[in-house]
Amino acid sequence: VLIEIERKFLVKSDKYRSDAFKVQLLSQAYLNNNPDKSVRIRIVDNEGFITIKGPSNDGGFSRFEWEKKIPFDEAVELMKLCGDQLILKKRYFVKHNKIILEVDEFLNNNKGLVVAEVELKTTSQKIVLPDWIAEEVTGVNKYYNLSLISNPFSSW
């Protein structure tokens, strides 16, 4: 069993772009939209993944996550089952003070939204964040990808 522990933050400048050591284009969609057990299909560059996530615990800090790489053509076919409910984003990877921040710059209906995530080893792990990080939104449902499909940033 894998437990994902992460914190989410809004981003207040685009400095993360110049600090990034890697950038990827991600597209993802959900085969079901139950927040207690979501099933996500993701394509990163030319690789496919299927992910199952359980309900959030600890105020949104942790939850069960299982992910497996699947053939690209199968990921494409599974995404077709999801219709037009697609999340598209650029992900920037930034190393800062011994942590890796993943900064998602959302596209399409969520253009303008930029969220940084950091995965932690424990819920009490102390981290030092860069100055381009704004308020924490860990546990705030509207910032989660699953919510952004039905309530996109453009409609806020």
Side-chain angles (χ1 to χ4, degrees), residues 13 30 45 81 96 115 117 142 156:
S13 84
Y30 292 83
D45 299 326
L81 295 175
H96 181 80
V115 177
E117 297 179 356
K142 72 179 185 177
W156 296 4

Side-chain angles (χ1 to χ4, degrees), residues 87-101:
I87 295 279
L88 187 62
K89 57 189 176 181
K90 270 189 185 175
R91 175 165 285 172
Y92 296 79
F93 294 85
V94 178
K95 186 171 179 151
H96 181 80
N97 280 7
K98 300 179 185 174
I99 59 170
I100 303 289
L101 291 127

Side-chain angles (χ1 to χ4, degrees), residues 48-65:
F49 299 88
I50 185 167
T51 307
I52 298 171
K53 292 191 176 204
S56 290
N57 301 313
D58 302 316
F61 277 87
S62 66
R63 64 181 168 176
F64 170 87
E65 180 182 90

Side-chain angles (χ1 to χ4, degrees), residues 107-113 148 151-156:
L107 305 169
N108 296 349
N109 291 350
N110 293 298
K111 188 173 177 69
L113 180 61
L148 290 170
N151 186 23
F153 185 66
S154 61
S155 68
W156 296 4

Side-chain angles (χ1 to χ4, degrees), residues 110-129:
N110 293 298
K111 188 173 177 69
L113 180 61
V114 182
V115 177
E117 297 179 356
V118 60
E119 289 200 15
L120 306 173
K121 292 178 177 48
T122 69
T123 55
S124 60
Q125 181 180 339
K126 302 289 184 224
I127 55 175
V128 177
L129 298 167

